[in-house]
Amino acid sequence: MIRQPLPRRGLLAGGAALLPAAAHAQGAQTLLNVSYDPTRELYREFNTAFAALWAARGVPRPTLNTSHGGSGRQARSVIDGLAADVLTLALAYDIDEVAERGLLARDWQRRLPDNSSPNTSTIVLLVRRGNPRRIRDWGDLLAPGVSIITPNPKTSGGARWNYLALWAWALRQPGGNAARAEQAVAQLYRQVPVLDTGARGSLTTFVQRNQGDVFLSWENEAHLALQEFPQSGLEIIYPSLSILAEPPVAVVDANVDRRGTRALAQAYLEHLYSPQGQALVARHHYRPRNAEILAANAARFPRLELVTVDEVFGGWQQAQRTHFNDGGVFDRIYRPGR
């Protein structure tokens, strides 16, 4: 797929302001946002703010619902009939899968700026009080006896980012190549006691069930753990290299046209790019695209070297085929109980 971002200005200017007028005659509407696991807190606040904005423009206040789960499982649910108006998933491949079934246009990434990703994130390491295993980088995870918590890459978008981040790090090591990267990832999964279906389930396993020495985490999810469980003394470790995660968003054409919610759905996603939306994104520890808001929140987002899926893995379609499809590398290396 050719990914050509639209200009940041011009797409949103004025357009969102006109949408409520188009929807005014339709009365109060309901929108379903099908999202991935770690966005619960973000969309709880975002939905409240957006509904208030919509109502302030003289349109009946909409009911905004959000469904959460592992990104791959969420995409499958929509394919199987869950009537999402919008998708806000962990990676482009999952929305591509929905597009392949004809539920939205295959060029969906060209509809909004930055390849339809209003924010970015990355993968960090969450460790226990005092970092007793002295984990500072990916290689430390592979030491004997280190227990690692990460979700299942068959169902979780975050888990796929975790896997690829480690693989990319292994390639950068002296003598690094695909064979050695595969050995490193295989070793990691031998040290994973349980694979939850999504990132939030893995966070619960790590923090509340007290399993594992380290949790491979979305950056925002790690900060949430520090806020929600301050008594645990958890620490965030930024590795020497990680991966640029770009969680995308899209309107599900077939569903919004059937339900008459296109104006609402389009305005909802565009609001993620607005200054208010970008400020909310930053407050929940997602890295905003807006340069001014990112700079104003620089203390939240330490600088680190980030690789991309395109440059290391040839894009998401290739990465999925090679690593995560049935019969791929993950199936070859993961042997439960081995």
Side-chain angles (χ1 to χ4, degrees):
M1 176 182 294
I2 298 174
R3 297 181 176 180
Q4 180 180 349
L6 291 171
R8 185 181 297 274
R9 288 181 170 80
L11 174 72
L12 305 179
L18 297 175
L19 288 171
H24 183 85
Q26 299 181 25
Q29 294 182 303
T30 298
L31 177 143
L32 176 59
N33 171 9
V34 172
S35 195
Y36 63 109
D37 253 345
T39 63
R40 300 167 194 266
E41 292 73 22
L42 167 63
Y43 282 114
R44 186 180 302 133
E45 186 172 1
F46 180 86
N47 288 354
T48 298
F50 178 80
L53 175 65
W54 192 262
R57 291 176 175 172
V59 180
R61 182 184 293 266
T63 298
L64 305 175
N65 299 316
T66 311
S67 167
H68 299 276
S71 186
R73 289 189 67 179
Q74 291 291 81
R76 172 51 57 185
S77 294
V78 174
I79 291 168
D80 290 343
L82 181 61
D85 297 280
V86 299
L87 296 171
T88 58
L89 296 180
L91 45 91
Y93 177 82
D94 290 335
I95 299 183
D96 281 341
E97 283 289 280
V98 180
E100 287 289 329
R101 274 44 175 209
L103 295 175
L104 67 154
R106 294 190 182 188
D107 66 348
W108 60 269
Q109 281 191 288
R110 300 181 64 183
R111 295 178 171 183
L112 288 167
D114 301 306
N115 291 326
S116 292
S117 295
N119 57 266
T120 68
S121 190
T122 191
I123 301 302
V124 300
L125 314 176
L126 188 66
V127 301
R128 301 200 181 277
R129 185 190 303 273
N131 192 9
R133 293 289 187 171
R134 298 184 180 181
I135 292 167
R136 294 298 173 196
D137 209 346
W138 293 103
D140 300 322
L141 302 180
L142 309 180
V146 175
S147 178
I148 302 157
I149 301 300
T150 182
N152 188 339
K154 290 287 192 174
T155 55
S156 166
R160 279 173 274 176
W161 290 115
N162 295 346
Y163 172 116
L164 296 180
L166 172 60
W167 189 286
W169 172 86
L171 289 178
R172 291 285 189 92
Q173 301 316 295
N177 54 36
R180 291 193 175 185
E182 182 173 328
Q183 290 172 4
V185 174
Q187 180 61 42
L188 181 140
Y189 281 100
R190 282 194 287 270
Q191 298 171 211
V192 176
V194 59
L195 287 179
D196 294 292
T197 59
R200 186 55 55 91
S202 285
L203 178 64
T204 299
T205 294
F206 183 69
V207 178
Q208 295 181 274
R209 297 176 185 162
N210 204 35
Q211 293 192 42
D213 300 304
V214 57
F215 171 41
L216 310 189
S217 177
W218 288 98
E219 183 178 35
N220 67 288
E221 194 83 336
H223 281 282
L224 175 67
L226 267 58
Q227 295 167 8
E228 293 290 316
F229 305 99
Q231 73 284 356
S232 298
L234 301 170
E235 300 177 25
I236 297 174
I237 304 298
Y238 281 86
S240 62
L241 176 143
S242 195
I243 196 160
L244 178 66
E246 299 179 284
V249 302
V251 171
V252 184
D253 297 320
N255 291 341
V256 298
D257 289 342
R258 176 173 53 82
R259 300 183 63 238
T261 55
R262 179 176 289 277
L264 175 63
Q266 185 68 23
Y268 181 87
L269 294 186
E270 289 189 358
H271 191 57
L272 286 166
Y273 290 86
S274 72
Q276 183 186 23
Q278 291 284 283
L280 284 175
V281 160
R283 184 152 68 240
H284 288 273
H285 297 279
Y286 295 90
R287 298 183 178 219
R289 294 288 196 177
N290 183 297
E292 292 181 2
I293 294 174
L294 179 61
N297 289 273
R300 294 176 180 264
F301 306 115
R303 289 180 175 270
L304 72 163
E305 184 178 2
L306 300 175
V307 300
T308 70
V309 170
D310 285 351
E311 68 182 283
V312 179
F313 301 98
W316 263 113
Q317 292 291 332
Q318 183 61 47
Q320 181 73 27
R321 283 193 300 270
T322 300
H323 295 277
F324 308 117
N325 279 356
D326 290 347
V329 175
F330 178 73
D331 283 351
R332 185 166 68 244
I333 65 175
Y334 181 63
R335 297 290 184 270
R338 186 173 62 181

